Amino acid sequence: MTSHFPSIQTFYSREVPSDGAGRDSSATTKAGDGFTSSEVEAVVRPLSRSFEPSRHYDVCCISELQTGPHSYKISGRLVNFSSTGGPHRTSTNAGGYHFLVICDGTAAIAVKLYCTPSEYQPVLGQRVTVWATAISAGNQAEIGHIPYCSVATTIFPARNAATHIDFFVDEAGSEGDSLLRCPLEVNAEHYDYLPGLMTLKSFLTGGYELGDGKILVAVRSVGPRRTVHTRKREGTLELVEVGIFDDTAQCVLKLWEDKIPSAKSWIPNQTVLLISRPWCQSNSHTNHRSVAVRAEIGIGYASIVDVDPEFPEAIWLRTKIKSMTKKESIIVPFPADIWDLELAMYGPGRTLYTLAELEDQVRSQDPASNFTGKLSVVVHGINLIDHWRKTTTFCTECCGIPLYANKPTVACKHCDAQRDLSLNPRILGSFLDESGVIVGSKLTWNDQAWTQFLFGRETTGASKEEHTTEQSWKNIATLDTNFLRDLESRLSYSRVTLTFGWSTELDRLCILGAEW
């Protein structure tokens, strides 16, 4: 006897098509799949969803983590990473993964984060929090020779909803920005020195051969993004060269591919980097006279990069940078809202100084006081023509890179932003009187003083004020070489009265106005 089993279709009634006459076909709507857009986004981009823990997570520092299944909440900063799409794209790594190294000052942990490449871009020094459900003992094949890194975990929010990672973007000066800044091997209570720390000069001249060296450097400049053609991989790679320095030497830090976005937030002459185990390469360039050696530093797989660390040597380097940049800056902006210009130039309390008296006043004055006065000096040397031929009449700094041009506006080669340039103070030779001499390039001028100095001597009498309002120091860019040569001859060895203001903040003499 043959038995017949019902099919699944027998449990559903057949749909009878309704009469569609007189009904607009465009009025029909497509049925959805029952999921809201937020639910779809939470599955497609799991890192973007707000994480609400469904279990208890123990807050623990990395050095006290125990291997095995356990729920931990770990906070730290990103000190190294590498991004890969996986050599064999399978169902478990179809979107690729990020290999992250996170440090909290006690130890480091390796985190393998599975997510789509467009979902997250790692940045060195970023503060992160990890919710992990298991800790494994990292073997050499998995994590390599990363110092103080002996444990690892895997974060796969799309598969395991109990694991998650948060990336924080802290504003400068906020409470979160100051957290977890202590580097490894620094004991805040009993600190003596950081093992393996050496100067940049010592590292470049052979210290890199030790393998465990550390360098503490500041960012000097961030170069533009370049495309480099490689012979080994037969492709192209993106590269950014970052200038770094300390009080002994300077060199180039190369950032490749996924490390490049980290440099966007680095501020020249302010950002400090502590790099452990960097790799070093020296390139020799030979010409007919000498051999020039250019040292280059990179971030390797086992390197650790602490951005703006907090420990005694870093505090000392920041103080040293401020004094070095004061001496090396190509242009010092004129301080605003310190002096009343009209009162300083035409007020009743005007004091005429000689250069010798001015020096005595600066050395013996109250360190917290700014004062003004006048100097009657002779102009000794003007270099307008030389700087015009070198295309350095106007200058400024952007992204830590000096910008020179013969026009008051130019585009930065790094960020492509339009920058307003100032007149280069190096067009001035020196000023002297019967008691001393002062170098013109060390003076800081405001726009009104430049205009009065360059064009205030051309006319006298009632038309002088009207003429100087029409002229501007920016008109130098429109003059030809013959007029510049005549201007040089008129200004050289002429006596001028300069109204100055001494700035205790800059430790410089600022020129407020010029009178002929």
Side-chain angles (χ1 to χ4, degrees):
M1 181 176 179
T2 305
S3 61
H4 298 281
F5 294 96
S7 64
I8 192 171
Q9 286 83 1
T10 59
F11 293 94
Y12 298 92
S13 59
R14 185 183 300 273
E15 292 185 0
V16 180
S18 59
D19 186 10
R23 183 179 300 175
D24 189 5
S25 60
S26 62
T28 60
T29 58
K30 184 179 180 180
D33 53 8
F35 297 101
T36 63
S37 58
S38 60
E39 292 173 336
V40 174
E41 183 72 11
V43 175
V44 177
R45 301 174 61 89
L47 293 182
S48 62
R49 62 181 171 89
S50 59
F51 181 65
E52 297 179 358
S54 59
R55 63 179 74 178
H56 174 72
Y57 291 81
D58 292 332
V59 179
C60 183
C61 60
I62 298 176
S63 61
E64 298 179 357
L65 294 176
Q66 300 294 325
T67 57
H70 196 93
S71 297
Y72 286 113
K73 180 182 178 181
I74 309 165
S75 297
R77 289 194 179 271
L78 193 59
V79 295
N80 201 351
F81 63 88
S82 60
S83 303
T84 175
H88 306 288
R89 292 185 179 272
T90 63
S91 59
T92 59
N93 66 351
Y97 63 87
H98 296 291
F99 180 81
L100 312 178
V101 181
I102 299 173
C103 174
D104 66 350
T106 63
I109 182 174
V111 178
K112 186 175 289 187
L113 171 63
Y114 287 93
C115 63
T116 57
S118 61
E119 191 172 359
Y120 167 62
Q121 172 57 57
V123 175
L124 289 173
Q126 189 173 23
R127 184 167 64 94
V128 300
T129 297
V130 176
W131 287 268
T133 56
I135 303 296
S136 63
N139 53 45
Q140 182 176 347
E142 183 179 5
I143 63 176
H145 297 279
I146 302 174
Y148 291 90
C149 183
S150 59
V151 292
T153 188
T154 299
I155 305 298
F156 203 158
R159 295 292 180 89
N160 185 359
T163 62
H164 192 73
I165 184 170
D166 267 350
F167 302 93
F168 301 93
V169 181
D170 300 317
E171 296 183 0
S174 62
E175 182 180 357
D177 185 59
S178 60
L179 298 176
L180 304 169
R181 293 288 186 183
C182 184
L184 292 169
E185 300 183 273
V186 173
N187 188 340
E189 297 180 356
H190 307 285
Y191 177 76
D192 188 14
Y193 67 95
L194 184 62
L197 182 63
M198 61 185 70
T199 64
L200 183 57
K201 183 178 180 180
S202 300
F203 180 81
L204 297 176
T205 54
Y208 60 88
E209 297 178 354
L210 299 177
D212 294 330
K214 302 180 181 68
I215 56 173
L216 182 66
V217 295
V219 175
R220 178 182 293 273
S221 62
V222 180
R225 182 189 292 257
R226 298 192 293 117
T227 301
V228 179
H229 296 274
T230 60
R231 296 180 180 178
K232 294 182 179 180
R233 299 183 181 180
E234 295 182 356
T236 59
L237 296 175
E238 298 293 326
L239 168 67
V240 165
E241 293 184 341
V242 179
I244 57 175
F245 72 104
D246 65 0
D247 60 320
T248 62
Q250 59 182 351
C251 68
V252 173
L253 172 65
K254 286 191 171 184
L255 299 181
W256 297 91
E257 292 291 322
D258 53 356
K259 302 290 195 307
I260 292 177
S262 300
K264 291 184 178 180
S265 60
W266 294 353
I267 304 174
N269 299 324
Q270 293 187 25
T271 301
V272 174
L273 306 176
L274 175 62
I275 308 177
S276 305
R277 292 191 176 186
W279 63 261
C280 180
Q281 180 180 3
S282 298
N283 297 327
S284 300
H285 303 280
T286 307
N287 55 29
H288 65 284
R289 292 186 178 181
S290 60
V291 178
V293 180
R294 185 193 183 196
E296 298 173 347
I297 289 178
I299 300 174
Y301 182 83
S303 301
I304 288 181
V305 182
D306 291 284
V307 180
D308 287 328
E310 289 294 338
F311 68 109
E313 280 83 354
I315 297 174
W316 176 88
L317 181 61
R318 292 188 183 97
T319 305
K320 185 67 175 178
I321 290 171
K322 292 181 180 179
S323 62
M324 292 174 64
T325 51
K326 284 183 179 179
K327 299 177 181 179
E328 299 175 1
S329 297
I330 64 169
I331 188 69
V332 178
F334 187 85
D337 302 330
I338 296 182
W339 306 283
D340 186 340
L341 301 184
E342 293 297 325
L343 184 62
M345 292 189 65
Y346 310 111
R350 294 171 291 174
T351 304
L352 181 63
Y353 291 86
T354 65
L355 291 174
E357 293 171 345
L358 175 60
E359 182 178 4
D360 293 339
Q361 175 70 12
V362 170
R363 293 183 183 275
S364 61
Q365 67 160 342
D366 181 5
S369 64
N370 297 316
F371 66 96
T372 61
K374 289 182 178 291
L375 290 170
S376 180
V377 292
V378 175
V379 182
H380 185 264
I382 296 290
N383 304 315
L384 274 172
I385 293 295
D386 292 342
H387 283 276
W388 183 266
R389 290 172 177 170
K390 296 176 184 178
T391 322
T392 57
T393 308
F394 299 89
C395 66
T396 191
E397 285 189 30
C398 184
C399 303
I401 303 173
L403 301 179
Y404 295 97
N406 280 347
K407 53 185 179 180
T409 304
V410 72
C412 176
K413 297 180 180 179
H414 175 246
C415 61
D416 295 328
Q418 291 291 327
R419 297 297 180 187
D420 293 329
L421 278 64
S422 302
L423 203 57
N424 192 345
R426 291 163 185 78
I427 65 173
L428 302 174
S430 58
F431 296 94
L432 53 90
D433 65 2
E434 63 275 6
S435 65
V437 62
I438 186 171
V439 179
S441 60
K442 299 298 183 181
L443 303 177
T444 301
W445 296 66
N446 70 347
D447 294 345
Q448 177 183 341
W450 272 125
T451 302
Q452 293 173 348
F453 178 76
L454 294 173
F455 302 108
R457 194 173 183 271
E458 294 183 354
T459 58
T460 57
S463 63
K464 178 179 179 180
E465 182 178 355
E466 179 182 355
H467 181 79
T468 54
T469 55
E470 295 176 357
Q471 291 282 8
S472 172
W473 59 272
K474 295 182 180 181
N475 293 349
I476 291 290
T478 63
L479 304 179
D480 56 16
T481 55
N482 292 329
F483 193 95
L484 292 177
R485 191 175 289 107
D486 292 341
L487 185 59
E488 275 191 0
S489 62
R490 288 199 302 268
L491 295 177
S492 296
Y493 303 103
S494 300
R495 181 170 289 273
V496 61
T497 300
L498 301 178
T499 303
F500 70 86
W502 175 258
S503 172
T504 56
E505 179 182 356
L506 301 178
D507 286 336
R508 280 179 178 261
L509 205 63
C510 303
I511 305 303
L512 313 180
E515 299 171 88
W516 295 93

